């Protein structure tokens, strides 16, 4: 998240902004607010709307500072090395929420007319009581562990008080929609017997419900809050420190220097800079006000209409949440929910995110073509040939440098062993100092006034070279995550530690290299920047911590009542067994559940409620989808709620900056984001878009190129413009071409069936002959929890070679052949088989083996031929009109 005090954001800011815009008696309309008012409004709301003074301000400041220091402490190796203040996950979560509850009540006033410059007594009381209730699991951990499931009267009082204060804190910090949703789910626990038959359950006692939600790790203090405490805080803090140091401004200026001179350059710069900010940001709305405050006025000045400028920034900022490595913190949650390594999550998420940004880049280009918009003039524009050569040399240099670093550091690790850590640290320090000395040759980047006229585009060389040292901590983070494969928490800790050093020393070192000798003053300013960044990181985490803990109420309700199975039945009944209709219903449900809910919380909600529905009903339809594809599907549509009217919060923020109509901006941004909405359907049916089951480099290249071309063709169809304005039948053809490139299997399946069925009695023979890590497709019959017959397709992974019994034993299954079918005799507890959904008593009735057929990629040849025909037709019209 953005760490700046000047231009941050949060959900409450936009909700308050919306309230201001619709009030015609007490305030001005949103589109009439000045830029200064917009910035002030967003800044106040992000840090809670209050600006206390005196002792209260100091208390709040030092509590926020203590929270950041606490999170760095528990993420570091020091507690285990020194044996001091070692906490388990439950205790850490408890303290984490206690900080958030206290700061939430201190900084977020309950009503619009509540005081902004002082903290009322009742908020002090509520904040302290809320912090005590949250810290109760830490303070009385030993006593609670000694009497599990047997709460005392005081335990229940604390649980009830804590839940009530958490819901009120959610209303203040996150917004009313999520507080209402959590309250409804909480009520469902106790009102189950009185519900309609379809969603009725036996209910739970008061003591059981409170214990489950507050005194255990199944509800509020569950996995979601654990991810917030263990991973998310550090990445938010990393982003806040990076932005405090000036990296946000560097990203924006660099993107503008590269792209500003192109047709519609500022809009293209907005797309790229939002993508760069999205690498470390945890909020689409934070992206809008961080980047959009600068890029939206630029887009308007070069000719984009206000609502289009706001929509472009909204779409780009929302896509920042699907961009690895942070993905609005969802990446870390997926590690827990899907059960695969973090590096795999990043690999699967990369191509769809890149496709989405390339498609948006093309959208703003088409909008510029339609409106005849040019770029910002540049003093010296090199010939096209020279520019291409420079780009190729730069790319080649980066590739060579990356290989030198990768293999060089690998060689150091092999040679020096454990001492390599110190050698690499010295090399990083030398690189940092060397870059600062090199940057001193160029003017320092200043934060420009976005409303000041821009007479020329910034020069690429001096702009990019003036902040290269900001890339070092990002590179360190990615290296630790992807190469060293450290845990996300430890990776973020080491990267943040390096960034802390940079933040303190960059000013005095830069000043020294520039000839200044005021080292003490610059060093003091460096420590002041560090303090500001630590406090900003903690303030930005208030909403995330409270949202994830409240989402835990919903998750706890699902685990306690089994509402997830009920939802699957409802969706199956309404979709009448049609898989595509089911996916559409899940998409709509995810949009609704995500409205008004922050990125992290909406993923928790939609994955808990909707992901099991897709898995179960997809299997019954014969579509065996990897769990990561299902979670990515619901995550994408949960994110789309930020841009979907009428609760598209990011669109309201952008409309405020652009001085445009919020609804028009929202609908335009939604139309631009249609390309992102299509992707989840495509990678459900074609998991190669998530880089799954790709066996060679040529296949990888074909998949990536075809996917990117498909995205561009879809954009051309949705914008009704390819080479020129499209006729209706050309738009239809472009849609068919895009579909064929996205999913060539659809047409190949019509010609050659993908699988052949064989008898289940051949299963043991197939298992014995199958190569290592082969997966067999089997059809299984059994009963659901209500005794209804169920038939579904499942995957049977075989692992390393061996006898059938050995391979099945490693998976966790024992099978018994019986008259034309195979019975599932036992399923080992907590085995891979149990996680895959196998149950004792099921029967394997059929096997499916891949049919030998031509590669579906052959479909690309006639598809591209049709695309070329459309290109020629439109090109002729362009020539004829000249």
């Amino acid at each position: 998240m953005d760490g700046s005090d000047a231009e941050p954001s949060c959900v409450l800011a936009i909700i308050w902004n919306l309230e201001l815009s619709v009030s015609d008696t007490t305030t001005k309309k949103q589109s009439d607010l000045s830029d200064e008012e917009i910035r002030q409004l967003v800044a106040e709301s992000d840090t809670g709307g209050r600006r206390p003074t005196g002792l209260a301000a100091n208390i709040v400041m030092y509590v926020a500072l203590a929270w950041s220091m606490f999170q760095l402490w528990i993420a570091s190796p020091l507690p285990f090395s020194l044996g001091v203040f070692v906490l388990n996950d439950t205790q850490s979560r408890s303290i984490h929420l206690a900080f958030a509850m206290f700061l939430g009540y201190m900084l977020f006033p309950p009503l619009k007319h509540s005081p902004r410059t002082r903290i009322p007594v009742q908020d002090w009381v509520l904040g302290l009581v809320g912090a005590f209730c949250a810290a109760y699991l830490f303070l009385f951990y030993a006593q609670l562990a000694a009497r599990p499931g047997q709460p005392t009267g005081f335990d229940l009082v604390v649980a009830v008080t804590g839940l009530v204060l958490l819901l009120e804190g959610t209303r203040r910090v996150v917004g009313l929609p999520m507080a209402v949703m959590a309250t409804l789910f909480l009520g469902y626990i106790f009102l189950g017997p009185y519900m309609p038959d379809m969603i009725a359950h036996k209910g739970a006692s008061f003591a059981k419900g409170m214990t489950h939600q507050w005194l255990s790790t199944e509800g509020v203090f569950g996995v979601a809050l654990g991810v917030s405490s263990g991973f998310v805080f550090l990445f938010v803090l990393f982003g806040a420190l990076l932005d405090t140091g000036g990296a946000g401004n560097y990203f924006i200026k660099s993107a503008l220097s590269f792209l500003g001179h192109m047709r519609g350059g500022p809009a293209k710069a907005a797309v790229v800079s939002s993508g760069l900010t999205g690498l470390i940001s945890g909020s689409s709305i934070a992206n809008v006000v961080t980047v959009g405050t600068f890029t939206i006025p630029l887009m308007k000045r070069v000719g984009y209409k206000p609502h289009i400028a706001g929509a472009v920034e909204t779409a780009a900022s929302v896509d920042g949440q699907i961009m690895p490595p942070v993905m609005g913190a969802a990446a870390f949650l997926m590690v827990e929910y899907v059960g695969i390594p973090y590096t795999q999550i990043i690999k699967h998420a990369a191509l769809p995110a890149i496709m989405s940004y390339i498609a948006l880049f093309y959208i703003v280009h088409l909008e510029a073509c339609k409106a005849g918009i040019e770029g910002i003039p540049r003093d010296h524009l090199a010939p096209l040939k020279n520019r291409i050569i420079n780009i190729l040399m730069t790319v080649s240099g980066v590739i060579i440098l990356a290989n030198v670093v990768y293999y060089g550091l690998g060689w150091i690790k092999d040679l020096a062993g454990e001492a390599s850590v110190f050698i690499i640290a010295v090399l990083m320090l030398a690189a940092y100092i060397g870059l600062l000395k090199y940057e001193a040759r160029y003017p320092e980047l200043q934060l420009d006034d976005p409303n000041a006229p821009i007479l020329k585009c910034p020069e690429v060389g001096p702009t990019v070279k003036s902040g290269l040292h900001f890339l070092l901590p990002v590179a360190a983070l990615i290296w630790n995550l992807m190469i060293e494969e450290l845990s996300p928490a430890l990776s973020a800790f080491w990267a943040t530690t390096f960034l802390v050093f940079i933040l303190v020393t960059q000013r005095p070192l830069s000043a020294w290299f520039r000839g200044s000798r005021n080292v003490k003053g610059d060093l003091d300013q460096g420590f002041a920047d560090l303090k500001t960044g630590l406090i900003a990181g903690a303030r930005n985490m208030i909403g995330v911590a409270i949202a994830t803990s409240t989402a835990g109420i919903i998750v706890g309700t699902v685990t306690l009542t089994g509402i997830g199975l009920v939802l699957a039945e409802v969706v199956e009944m309404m979709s009448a067994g049609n898989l595509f209709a089911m996916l559409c219903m899940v998409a709509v449900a995810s949009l609704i559940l995500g409205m008004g809910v922050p990125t992290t919380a909406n993923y928790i909600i939609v994955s808990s409620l909707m992901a099991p529905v897709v898995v179960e009903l997809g299997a019954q339809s014969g579509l065996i989808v990897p769990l990561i594809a299902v979670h990515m599907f619901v995550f994408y549509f949960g994110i789309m709620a930020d841009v979907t009217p009428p609760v598209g919060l990011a669109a309201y923020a952008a409309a405020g900056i652009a001085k445009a109509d919020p609804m028009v901006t929202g609908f335009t941004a939604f139309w631009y984001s249609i390309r992102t909405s299509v992707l989840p359907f495509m990678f459900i049916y074609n998991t190669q878009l998530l880089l799954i089951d790709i066996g060679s480099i040529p296949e990888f290249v074909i998949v990536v190129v075809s996917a990117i071309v498909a995205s561009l063709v879809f954009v051309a169809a949705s914008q009704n413009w390819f080479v020129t304005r499209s006729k209706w039948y050309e738009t239809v053809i472009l849609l068919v071409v895009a579909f064929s490139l996205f999913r060539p299997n659809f047409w190949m399946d019509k010609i050659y069936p993908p699988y052949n069925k064989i008898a289940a009695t051949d299963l043991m023979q197939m298992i014995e002959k199958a190569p290592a890590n082969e997966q067999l497709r089997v059809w299984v019959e059994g009963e659901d929890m209500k005794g209804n017959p169920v038939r579904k397709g499942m995957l049977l992974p075989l692992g390393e070679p061996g006898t059938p019994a050995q391979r099945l034993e490693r998976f966790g299954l024992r099978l018994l052949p019986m008259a034309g079918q195979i019975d599932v005799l036992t399923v080992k507890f907590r085995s891979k088989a149990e996680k895959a959904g196998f149950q004792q008593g099921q029967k394997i009735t059929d096997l499916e083996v891949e049919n030998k057929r031509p590669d579906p990629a052959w479909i690309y040849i006639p598809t591209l031929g049709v695309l070329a025909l459309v290109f020629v037709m439109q090109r002729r019209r362009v020539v004829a009109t000249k």
Side-chain angles (χ1 to χ4, degrees):
M1 285 193 182
D2 175 45
S4 170
D5 278 340
E7 297 170 335
S9 78
C10 95
V11 172
L12 184 61
I14 313 306
I15 292 174
W16 187 21
N17 203 345
L18 176 57
E19 291 172 351
L20 286 171
S21 69
V22 298
S23 171
D24 56 1
T25 57
T26 58
T27 57
K28 296 183 288 185
K29 290 182 179 179
Q30 187 177 33
S31 58
D32 293 333
L33 293 173
S34 68
D35 288 342
E36 183 59 33
E37 288 172 318
I38 291 290
R39 284 195 293 270
Q40 182 64 23
L41 175 64
V42 175
E44 286 184 0
S45 299
D46 184 68
T47 52
R50 279 203 181 113
R51 288 291 183 271
T53 57
L55 180 61
N58 287 328
I59 291 175
V60 169
M61 178 180 66
Y62 284 110
V63 168
L65 189 61
W67 191 10
S68 290
M69 299 303 293
F70 165 76
Q71 295 292 158
L72 287 171
W73 171 264
I74 64 173
S76 73
L78 291 177
F80 298 96
S81 301
L82 302 177
V84 177
F85 201 50
V86 179
L87 303 176
N88 60 34
D89 288 343
T90 303
Q91 293 170 318
S92 299
R93 296 171 191 179
S94 177
I95 297 174
H96 180 77
L97 182 56
F99 274 115
M101 289 277 276
F102 179 76
L103 291 174
Y105 277 97
M106 294 300 99
L107 293 172
F108 288 80
L111 302 169
K112 286 190 294 182
H113 61 263
S114 299
R116 294 300 194 267
T117 57
R118 64 181 180 84
I119 302 175
V121 174
Q122 62 269 25
D123 280 352
W124 282 105
V125 173
L126 292 175
L128 290 171
V129 173
F132 170 77
C133 293
Y136 191 73
L137 270 69
F138 165 72
L139 297 173
F140 299 95
Y141 181 79
Q143 294 90 323
L144 290 170
R147 42 182 165 82
Q150 297 176 329
T152 64
F154 188 66
D155 291 342
L156 295 178
V157 170
V158 170
V160 172
T161 305
L163 283 169
V164 171
L165 291 177
L166 176 60
L167 291 171
E168 166 58 14
T170 303
R171 184 192 69 80
R172 294 185 182 201
V173 178
V174 182
L176 185 60
M178 188 167 187
V180 171
M181 188 186 304
T183 303
L184 291 175
F185 273 85
L186 198 57
Y188 179 72
I189 294 176
F190 306 108
L191 300 176
Y194 310 102
M195 293 289 172
D197 290 342
M198 181 171 287
I199 61 172
H201 65 95
K202 67 178 182 179
S205 67
F206 179 76
K208 184 178 180 180
M210 291 299 100
T211 300
H212 191 83
Q213 292 288 9
W214 196 265
L215 301 176
S216 73
T217 55
E218 297 295 327
V220 170
F221 297 95
V223 171
L225 188 61
V227 171
S228 174
S229 172
F231 304 149
V232 179
F233 192 104
L234 292 171
F235 281 85
V236 170
L237 180 61
F238 181 81
L241 291 172
L242 201 58
D243 191 75
T244 301
N249 183 45
Y250 172 69
F251 289 156
I252 295 171
K253 289 290 189 66
S254 297
L256 189 64
S257 68
F258 272 109
L259 306 169
H261 69 284
M262 296 181 178
R263 183 185 290 271
K268 294 174 179 176
V271 172
V272 173
S273 55
S274 291
L276 292 173
T277 307
L279 292 173
I280 55 172
S281 173
S283 167
S284 55
I285 307 162
N287 247 0
V288 167
V289 296
T290 303
V291 180
T293 304
F294 186 79
T295 58
I296 289 175
L298 285 181
M299 284 187 268
K300 289 170 62 180
R301 283 210 301 278
V302 297
Y304 285 96
K305 295 178 181 178
H307 71 278
I308 291 179
V312 168
E313 183 56 54
T314 300
S317 296
V318 169
D319 278 359
Q321 304 311 287
I322 64 176
M323 177 63 73
V326 178
M327 296 168 59
F332 314 119
L333 288 160
M334 286 182 189
V335 171
E336 301 293 329
Y337 290 164
V338 181
I340 63 177
Y342 177 81
T343 51
Q344 293 295 311
I345 299 285
I346 298 306
K347 184 188 82 171
H348 298 320
L351 180 57
I354 292 170
M355 288 163 55
S356 191
Y357 265 106
I358 290 175
L360 182 58
F361 196 88
Y362 188 41
I363 285 176
V364 300
H365 177 76
L366 292 180
E367 289 287 2
C369 291
K370 293 177 188 178
I373 297 172
E374 299 297 332
I376 301 172
R378 174 170 283 173
D379 275 350
H380 305 287
L381 185 60
L384 179 61
K385 178 182 176 181
N386 291 354
R387 280 182 281 158
I388 293 175
I389 292 174
N390 288 336
I391 291 172
L392 291 176
M393 290 182 63
T394 302
V395 172
S396 301
V398 170
I399 293 173
I400 293 171
L401 180 61
N403 279 278
V404 168
V405 171
Y406 179 79
Y407 291 107
L409 292 182
W411 176 76
I412 291 173
K413 287 178 63 178
D414 293 338
L415 185 67
E418 294 183 359
S420 63
V421 175
F422 302 100
I423 297 174
I424 293 172
V426 171
L427 291 175
M428 289 289 284
L429 177 61
Y432 166 59
I433 295 174
L435 284 175
L436 281 181
K437 185 174 182 180
Y438 178 70
E439 292 166 14
R441 306 175 186 177
Y442 304 96
E444 289 186 86
L445 285 182
Q446 302 296 327
L447 188 62
D448 296 337
D449 179 0
N451 294 305
I454 293 185
L455 303 178
K456 62 180 182 178
C457 190
E459 291 295 327
V460 176
T463 303
V464 173
K465 294 171 184 176
S466 64
L468 289 172
H469 71 283
F470 288 124
L471 302 179
L472 288 176
V474 178
L477 174 63
I478 295 175
W479 175 273
N480 287 331
L481 285 171
M482 306 299 293
I483 309 301
E484 298 290 342
E485 294 191 359
L486 301 179
S487 69
L490 200 56
S491 299
F493 170 76
W494 289 119
T496 303
T497 302
F498 184 32
L499 183 54
V500 166
F501 175 75
I502 289 176
L503 207 61
V504 172
T505 59
Q506 65 173 351
R507 287 180 182 271
L509 286 175
S510 179
W512 177 273
F513 290 132
R514 293 177 187 275
S516 171
R517 294 297 181 265
N518 185 21
V519 175
K520 184 179 184 306
D522 289 318
L523 190 62
D524 290 343
Q525 184 58 49
F527 279 107
D529 289 343
L530 173 60
K531 181 179 176 182
T532 299
L534 292 172
I535 294 171
R539 286 176 167 177
N540 288 337
M541 267 303 297
I542 297 171
V544 177
I546 289 182
T548 51
S549 58
T550 307
I553 296 176
I554 298 171
V555 176
T557 302
V558 172
T559 59
L560 186 60
T561 64
I563 183 65
L565 296 174
V566 174
L567 285 174
E569 291 181 6
V570 171
V571 172
E572 182 181 19
M573 181 188 69
M574 296 180 67
S575 63
N578 184 284
L579 182 60
F580 183 73
M582 179 269 292
L583 289 173
C584 290
M585 291 181 61
V586 171
V588 172
S590 299
L591 280 174
I592 295 171
L593 290 170
M595 286 183 177
V597 179
T599 300
T600 311
N602 76 33
Y603 169 67
I604 297 166
I605 295 168
V606 298
S607 63
S608 302
L609 296 176
M610 295 289 105
V613 175
V614 179
V615 171
E616 182 65 23
L617 299 186
Q620 293 179 26
S621 301
L623 181 67
I624 303 175
V625 185
L627 192 57
I628 179 62
V630 177
H631 278 257
M632 291 286 287
F633 181 92
V634 296
F635 171 63
Y636 266 54
F637 280 102
I639 291 299
M640 286 298 295
D642 273 351
V643 73
T644 305
V647 195
L649 302 179
Y652 281 108
I657 298 171
K659 296 182 174 57
D661 185 287
M663 294 303 291
V664 175
T665 303
F667 279 111
T668 305
F670 176 75
W671 185 248
Y672 289 165
S673 299
I674 287 290
R675 79 209 185 283
T676 307
S677 303
V678 169
L679 284 176
F681 287 96
M682 294 300 102
F683 58 61
I684 284 288
Y685 287 103
N686 180 12
T687 54
Q688 283 192 324
L689 295 177
L690 298 178
L691 303 184
I692 296 174
D693 295 332
I694 295 179
S696 64
I697 293 178
E699 187 178 13
F700 169 79
V701 173
I702 291 173
V703 168
V704 171
V705 172
S706 63
I708 292 174
V709 173
S711 296
L712 298 178
V713 173
F714 179 80
V715 165
S718 66
Q719 295 298 304
N720 200 35
W721 189 288
F722 187 32
V723 179
T724 185
R725 191 170 300 280
S726 301
K727 298 183 183 296
W728 69 268
Y729 56 85
E730 291 173 335
T731 298
V732 173
I733 293 173
L734 289 174
L735 288 173
V736 173
V737 167
F739 175 78
S740 302
L741 291 172
F742 271 132
R743 197 187 167 206
N745 280 332
F746 178 83
W747 304 110
M748 189 61 71
D749 291 349
K750 301 294 183 184
I751 306 171
Y752 298 96
Y755 299 102
N756 290 325
K757 283 192 176 182
I758 62 176
T761 50
D762 295 332
L763 176 62
M764 295 302 178
Q765 185 179 359
M766 295 287 295
I767 292 175
E768 190 169 13
K769 293 181 178 179
N773 301 316
E774 181 75 2
Q775 294 189 109
L776 297 181
R777 292 173 59 95
V778 298
W779 278 92
V780 176
E781 292 182 355
E783 295 181 346
D784 62 17
M785 295 185 66
K786 293 189 176 182
N788 300 318
V790 174
R791 174 179 167 83
K792 58 184 178 181
M794 302 181 72
L795 289 177
L796 181 62
L798 300 178
E800 295 300 319
T803 66
Q806 289 173 339
R807 302 182 86 169
L808 291 171
E809 179 68 23
R810 288 194 290 264
F811 183 56
L813 276 183
R814 289 182 62 195
L815 304 179
L816 179 64
M818 292 284 292
Q821 63 185 22
I822 295 180
D823 290 349
V824 177
L825 195 61
T826 60
V827 180
K828 189 181 296 184
F829 180 63
R830 290 186 177 178
S831 65
K832 295 179 180 178
E834 185 183 59
K835 292 181 179 179
F838 285 92
Q839 299 174 8
Q840 184 175 345
Q842 290 176 332
K843 301 179 186 300
I844 299 176
T845 59
D846 301 289
L847 301 177
E848 287 185 341
V849 295
E850 288 191 14
N851 189 15
K852 292 183 179 180
R853 61 179 188 169
D855 193 315
W858 286 106
I859 297 294
Y860 294 149
I861 295 177
T863 302
L864 293 175
V866 173
L867 180 62
L869 178 62
V870 176
F871 176 85
V872 171
M873 291 165 55
Q874 294 203 358
R875 183 65 184 168
R876 285 179 178 175
R877 290 208 304 274
V878 171
V879 173
T881 57
K882 289 185 178 179

